[in-house]
Amino acid sequence: MRVPVGEDADRWITRTGCRRVLFVVHNVTSATRLLDVLPLFHSDVRVQMFATCTGSSPFLAGVPELLARAGLPVLPWEQAKDTEFDLVVSASYGGELGSLRGKLTILSHGTGYNKRLAAPDSPVSRTTEPPVFGLAPDWLLEDGRPLATATVLSHPEQLDRLRSTCPEAAPTAVLAGDPCYDRILAALPQRDRFRRALGVGPGQRLIVVSSTWASRSLFGGDPAGGADEPGAADLLPWLLSRLAAELPADEYRTAAVLHPNIWYGHGPGQVQAWLDSARRAGLEAIPPLDGWRQALIAADCVLGDHSSVTYYAASIGIPVVLGAFPQEDLDPRSPVAALGRTAPRLLRRGSLRAQIDRAIDAHHPDRYKALAEQTSSSPGESAVLLRRLFYDLMGIPEPEAHPALLDPLPLPPYTPTRVTAPIRVLVRQLSADPPELAVTRYAVVGDAPDPDPARDPAAPAGTAHSAADEETRETGRLSVADVVVRRAAEDDARLGPPAAWASEALDRYPYCGLVAYVDGPDRCVVRTREGDLVRLSAATDPDGRPDLCDPAVYASALHAWLTDGHTLDAALPAITVRTGTAAHHVTVEPLPQPPPSAGSHASDSASSPRSRSAPIRSPFSS
């Protein structure tokens, strides 16, 4: 690099005399903590920031993209070692940090230091426990002297453990809070908005599956993770299948928060392939950099392991259930280990839904209060404390005109539930006048059997039908589905207006009794086999916001109403549809019939496979 540093950089730079700050990236995981503190240098024209990558991590995928996103000059590692800096900030002990020329500050990239992990050049025998990462001489000392000028800790309990394991490094310790935790705390009032962004409506529960990396994590599946019965097989396949099979699609929303080392160690495409069935059943795979904190804040329950993410969730009062927890991999004195001794464990021998509901219903917000207090001794103050430390090390005063602030967590894009797996719909009529129906839907994944209506008290046998998204991978289900759904904008030129698509779809799927074109978050246009064209629109919530229930639910409710012998006129002007504890008031509005086109359903209704007098049911109807 020749500019803004290099042999002849002074010829080319515009701002001269700046203090130089180097951010050392080990991998994507450590870089996320560095991104947390980057804003502490914003608006200061006296500071020039740089980034470099040690190249020492086995998880280097994703680093170039992250550095490009940060927009800082990226120094090659060898040049970084030969360049003078006023401050060097790292969130990992990986690489030749001792070779850098500048005052080194090391941050934790999680909730303190909890895991046992041998340094790469310090193998541990089978009879010796690895040292605690970040609190042992293996990491903290070089030639018997502290590696860092400042070792940032978030709580005195970490300092106590540091003094007992590596007293030589204790004088470098600085208590400066946890910027990641502070960003979470500051965003707690945004919980309802984060829930809506994830498509979680009133009466729904958001279940987040969280996993750290390595074989004994929840995603790793090594039975030595210790959360299930001794000698049990991999828990992950069971968990992913039961999320779809046991949790009604309209009463629960599911999301996965996975450690960046999983995403970049195996490849994003591979991870998405592993999660494919669950994603088609409605699981939202949260990207490794953006949105995971918002998902934690929005969650009703976290199914996790010994990760910092699980601990953060417990710290903000979210119920947690541990799907893996290898106590032997943790410092027994750490707060994370204490969480493992306190939180309930996930067992495959019981109902997943019952375990989740029990954890939520029995939870008290202060259950993990003592652990939360050990997350940070200075909640909400890390920006002030860290900036003061950084500027003291650089030897210049802090900018008086600009307060020390962290970036707020952004509002994620709206991601409504999208289930492309076939759906089994269970319906119970609650009232005929006025029309009111309870609908329960389950995604059917892979070779799993369709849900049994008899097991659901809300939907007795005889009220089940099948529904399929027109973009389902199981295309064979479309030919026998009772309800076929298409999702697109009303003016999508590829499909034509909803009425045109509906007419074509009924011709294309002869066993289908009703088709639905979802063209908004709370509405759809449906057409029955008898040729009736209707718009279904859910009333807004009391606060005026759109109802977030999947409009395909309303289409299934109307289909069940009609196949039970009721007329469309009897459903006018509105029906009430219940999903779990939520009630959705749906307007039923007949639409004018478009002029028939050649070969369309409307021009051939008399010879259609279904008629008003003798409807045909698909082989999967009951």
Side-chain angles (χ1 to χ4, degrees):
M1 178 180 290
R2 295 178 59 190
V3 62
V5 293
E7 291 184 0
D8 58 348
D10 288 342
R11 295 179 57 193
W12 311 111
I13 60 175
T14 300
R15 293 288 305 177
T16 61
C18 289
R19 292 295 199 271
R20 296 173 179 173
V21 177
L22 177 68
F23 290 95
V24 182
V25 173
H26 184 58
N27 52 29
V28 169
T29 307
S30 66
T32 57
R33 181 54 52 93
L34 299 180
L35 293 177
D36 283 337
V37 301
L38 245 162
L40 299 181
F41 299 96
H42 285 181
S43 301
D44 193 342
V45 297
R46 302 169 298 167
V47 174
Q48 168 70 61
M49 295 183 286
F50 300 85
T52 190
C53 179
T54 63
S56 59
S57 173
F59 303 102
L60 291 178
V63 171
E65 293 82 359
L66 183 144
L67 292 176
R69 169 178 161 180
L72 300 181
V74 180
L75 279 169
W77 177 243
E78 293 302 320
Q79 185 179 1
K81 292 192 295 182
D82 291 336
T83 303
E84 292 281 353
F85 295 96
D86 298 282
L87 177 66
V88 177
V89 184
S90 176
S92 174
Y93 285 92
E96 304 171 85
L97 297 181
S99 300
L100 295 170
R101 301 160 66 181
K103 294 178 180 179
L104 176 63
T105 299
I106 297 184
L107 314 174
S108 166
H109 59 259
T111 53
Y113 298 98
N114 308 287
K115 295 181 180 179
R116 296 187 180 278
L117 182 66
D121 56 352
S122 302
V124 176
S125 70
R126 294 182 180 180
T127 59
T128 305
E129 288 186 336
V132 177
F133 174 76
L135 294 181
D138 305 57
W139 306 99
L140 296 166
L141 303 181
E142 188 171 88
D143 298 328
R145 296 188 301 272
L147 176 67
T149 305
T151 302
V152 176
L153 306 176
S154 63
H155 193 277
E157 70 84 17
Q158 297 162 25
L159 179 56
D160 292 340
R161 288 189 286 138
L162 174 63
R163 285 172 174 157
S164 67
T165 56
C166 187
E168 301 91 335
T172 70
V174 179
L175 292 171
D178 181 335
C180 178
Y181 185 53
D182 283 354
R183 293 182 73 193
I184 293 174
L185 294 178
L188 289 179
Q190 306 296 319
R191 171 179 163 86
D192 288 344
R193 292 182 180 178
F194 293 158
R195 287 174 66 82
R196 291 188 68 85
L198 288 165
V200 183
Q204 290 185 313
R205 287 177 162 177
L206 173 62
I207 311 304
V208 173
V209 178
S210 167
S211 178
T212 188
W213 67 286
S215 62
R216 292 199 277 201
S217 67
L218 175 57
F219 202 84
D222 187 337
D228 210 341
E229 301 86 350
D234 186 355
L235 181 70
L236 184 66
W238 174 86
L239 174 59
L240 294 178
S241 67
R242 301 319 298 169
L243 287 173
E246 292 194 39
L247 304 186
D250 305 300
E251 298 172 44
Y252 295 81
R253 183 85 162 92
T254 57
V257 172
L258 306 180
H259 194 284
N261 286 358
I262 298 176
W263 283 100
Y264 295 112
H266 294 280
Q270 178 61 74
V271 173
Q272 290 174 354
W274 281 332
L275 295 176
D276 179 69
S277 293
R279 291 172 63 220
R280 290 187 290 112
L283 178 77
E284 178 74 15
I286 304 296
L289 292 180
D290 300 310
W292 68 266
R293 283 169 281 215
Q294 293 91 323
L296 280 193
I297 293 170
D300 292 287
C301 183
V302 170
L303 308 180
D305 55 14
H306 56 303
S307 69
S308 293
V309 173
T310 306
Y311 190 85
Y312 279 135
S315 296
I316 59 174
I318 304 298
V320 299
V321 180
L322 301 176
F325 209 91
Q327 287 279 5
E328 63 274 22
D329 290 354
L330 300 168
D331 182 347
R333 297 177 296 169
S334 70
V336 172
L339 175 64
R341 295 189 291 268
T342 306
R345 301 299 179 94
L346 182 62
L347 300 175
R348 80 187 71 219
R349 64 173 176 263
S351 161
L352 174 63
R353 181 179 181 180
Q355 293 180 70
I356 290 173
D357 289 347
R358 184 163 55 248
I360 296 173
D361 296 338
H363 182 72
H364 190 279
D366 292 335
R367 175 171 183 171
Y368 303 115
K369 181 180 179 181
L371 297 179
E373 291 173 349
Q374 292 186 307
T375 307
S376 171
S377 58
S378 304
E381 300 179 17
S382 65
V384 171
L385 296 172
L386 286 170
R387 194 175 78 165
R388 182 182 305 160
L389 169 65
F390 294 155
Y391 277 79
D392 283 349
L393 292 175
M394 288 191 293
I396 58 174
E398 297 180 61
E400 295 181 358
H402 307 292
L405 299 171
L406 303 174
D407 281 343
L409 296 181
L411 184 64
Y414 175 55
T415 53
T417 304
R418 178 71 186 275
V419 178
T420 60
I423 295 178
R424 188 66 158 169
V425 187
L426 313 177
V427 184
R428 177 167 60 121
Q429 180 178 302
L430 302 177
S431 169
D433 187 16
E436 184 172 354
L437 302 100
V439 178
T440 306
R441 304 190 307 161
Y442 293 92
V444 180
V445 177
D447 296 328
D450 286 357
D452 180 4
R455 76 173 192 184
D456 193 323
T463 61
H465 66 264
S466 62
D469 190 295
E470 198 177 29
E471 295 186 86
T472 185
R473 184 177 297 176
E474 290 86 350
T475 54
R477 290 275 191 155
L478 288 169
S479 63
V480 293
D482 296 288
V483 174
V484 173
V485 180
R486 163 61 71 172
R487 301 172 194 275
E490 183 178 9
D491 58 353
D492 192 321
R494 300 167 300 170
L495 302 169
W501 172 86
S503 180
E504 294 168 359
L506 285 172
D507 288 338
R508 187 176 299 117
Y509 311 116
Y511 283 106
C512 178
L514 179 148
V515 294
Y517 189 107
V518 177
D519 58 354
D522 55 357
R523 66 183 189 270
C524 62
V525 172
V526 303
R527 188 161 192 164
T528 68
R529 178 60 62 181
E530 290 72 27
D532 296 305
L533 190 67
V534 178
R535 176 170 286 284
L536 305 179
S537 305
T540 59
D541 292 343
D543 57 11
R545 293 185 172 94
D547 191 316
L548 294 184
C549 181
D550 182 359
V553 173
Y554 313 143
S556 277
L558 183 62
H559 170 77
W561 173 263
L562 296 175
T563 55
D564 200 32
H566 300 289
T567 65
L568 178 62
D569 289 344
L572 302 178
I575 60 175
T576 298
V577 181
R578 292 191 175 273
T579 55
T581 60
H584 314 278
H585 303 289
V586 181
T587 299
V588 182
E589 177 189 4
L591 298 178
Q593 295 286 349
S597 58
S600 72
H601 162 76
S603 64
D604 194 29
S605 60
S607 59
S608 115
R610 288 184 189 258
S611 68
R612 293 180 183 269
S613 58
I616 297 175
R617 303 301 303 279
S618 85
F620 288 89
S621 300
S622 61

